[in-house]
Amino acid sequence: PLRYISKLRELVKHEAEKNKSQWKTMGPAKVAVPSPNDFLQKRSKEPKVAPKKKEEDGKKLLPLSVPPRTYHPVTRIKKNFINKNAIAVMTGEPKKPRHFCVDTRQGDKYLLEPSGLFPKYIKKKNYGVLPKYVTQRNEEMKREEEEYQASVLEQLKKKAMKVLSEEERTNVLKALKKNWEEINRAYQGLPIVTDTMYKKMHKEELELKLKQLEHDIAAIEKHKIVYIAN
């Protein structure tokens, strides 16, 4: 088969030749050489200031604050410095003596104020006054102590003993005596012979209950005022 040849071959060649720059592969292009008369002069590359305009858009420029050349300042002023100094000394406040500290035999001295030995802090307005955080902390501690005392009193009131009235005391005494009579009746009805372990334990239990009831009855009869803990 024949070799493939593109239809756009000629167009590509034409575009390549058209876009190819001059002197692409044959060295630099010819450039116009500067004239020998246009040589580099001194300060020619420095920026040039635009010329001053006297009037701009019909408006007069403001006068400069620089004095004119014809101005001559007054250099000689007659003053009586002796009287001036005398008046300043008479009307001025006297200088206060400065505090020094001498620490050697030769009289070497230094100022006390910058050394830290002079007690300037006692002249402060807040000298001797408690800071705010200390007063706040004391108030909080006092409030906490009061709350703690109030809670303790409340707990003591809850745990306080109750006084029995006379009617309640007599009712309790009657109930104890009635209970003692019932247990005593059961004790009297026990058999004479206690030959088993159950009979012995039942008898001892009844005896203990009778002793406890007798002790309680005697205590209530002896004391007219009785306190009961909650």
Side-chain angles (χ1 to χ4, degrees):
L2 296 175
R3 187 165 61 92
Y4 172 76
I5 299 173
S6 176
K7 295 179 180 180
L8 304 175
R9 183 177 181 183
E10 299 297 332
L11 181 63
V12 171
K13 286 183 179 181
H14 176 69
E15 292 290 337
E17 291 177 358
K18 180 181 178 181
N19 296 329
K20 193 173 183 181
S21 58
Q22 191 179 10
W23 303 98
K24 181 71 176 179
T25 58
M26 301 299 293
K30 292 184 179 180
V31 184
V33 182
S35 174
N37 296 327
D38 299 335
F39 56 88
L40 185 64
Q41 298 181 359
K42 187 178 181 181
R43 300 182 185 277
S44 60
K45 291 187 177 182
E46 291 183 0
K48 297 180 179 180
V49 183
K52 295 181 181 180
K53 297 180 180 180
K54 294 184 179 180
E55 291 185 0
E56 204 170 346
D57 298 332
K59 295 182 181 179
K60 293 184 178 180
L61 298 175
L62 296 175
L64 298 176
S65 60
V66 181
R69 293 186 178 183
T70 56
Y71 173 74
H72 297 286
V74 180
T75 55
R76 294 183 181 181
I77 300 175
K78 293 183 179 180
K79 288 186 179 180
N80 193 347
F81 292 100
I82 297 174
N83 294 340
K84 183 180 178 181
N85 294 339
I87 292 170
V89 170
M90 287 186 288
T91 57
E93 295 182 358
K95 290 184 179 180
K96 295 181 179 179
R98 305 180 73 182
H99 299 276
F100 290 94
C101 179
V102 180
D103 58 350
T104 59
R105 295 173 59 186
Q106 285 77 19
D108 297 334
K109 60 184 180 180
Y110 57 90
L111 292 173
L112 278 179
E113 291 185 6
S115 66
L117 300 175
F118 190 74
K120 295 192 293 184
Y121 55 88
I122 61 175
K123 297 180 181 179
K124 293 183 178 179
K125 293 181 180 180
N126 57 352
Y127 175 72
V129 180
L130 284 175
K132 290 184 179 180
Y133 72 92
V134 176
T135 54
Q136 291 177 359
R137 186 178 62 184
N138 292 338
E139 290 176 359
E140 291 177 359
M141 291 174 64
K142 187 177 180 181
R143 186 172 63 256
E144 290 176 358
E145 184 68 21
E146 291 176 355
E147 291 176 357
Y148 174 73
Q149 293 294 338
S151 63
V152 170
L153 290 174
E154 188 176 355
Q155 293 293 331
L156 290 175
K157 287 180 181 179
K158 289 180 180 179
K159 296 179 180 179
M161 295 185 181
K162 181 183 176 182
V163 182
L164 281 179
S165 62
E166 188 63 26
E167 185 178 357
E168 291 176 346
R169 179 175 168 275
T170 53
N171 292 335
V172 170
L173 192 59
K174 287 178 182 180
L176 289 174
K177 287 181 179 181
K178 184 179 180 182
N179 202 2
W180 182 86
E181 288 176 358
E182 292 176 358
I183 295 173
N184 188 31
R185 190 181 301 111
Y187 181 77
Q188 294 296 332
L190 289 175
I192 299 173
V193 180
T194 55
D195 52 353
T196 60
M197 184 62 68
Y198 173 74
K199 292 180 180 180
K200 288 181 180 179
M201 292 175 64
H202 187 53
K203 183 180 179 181
E204 290 176 358
E205 184 179 356
L206 292 175
E207 288 176 353
L208 287 173
K209 288 182 178 180
L210 288 172
K211 286 182 180 179
Q212 185 64 38
L213 288 170
E214 288 172 0
H215 178 268
D216 294 342
I217 290 168
I220 293 174
E221 287 179 346
K222 183 179 179 181
H223 302 93
K224 299 296 181 182
I225 300 173
V226 180
Y227 295 92
I228 297 177
N230 294 329

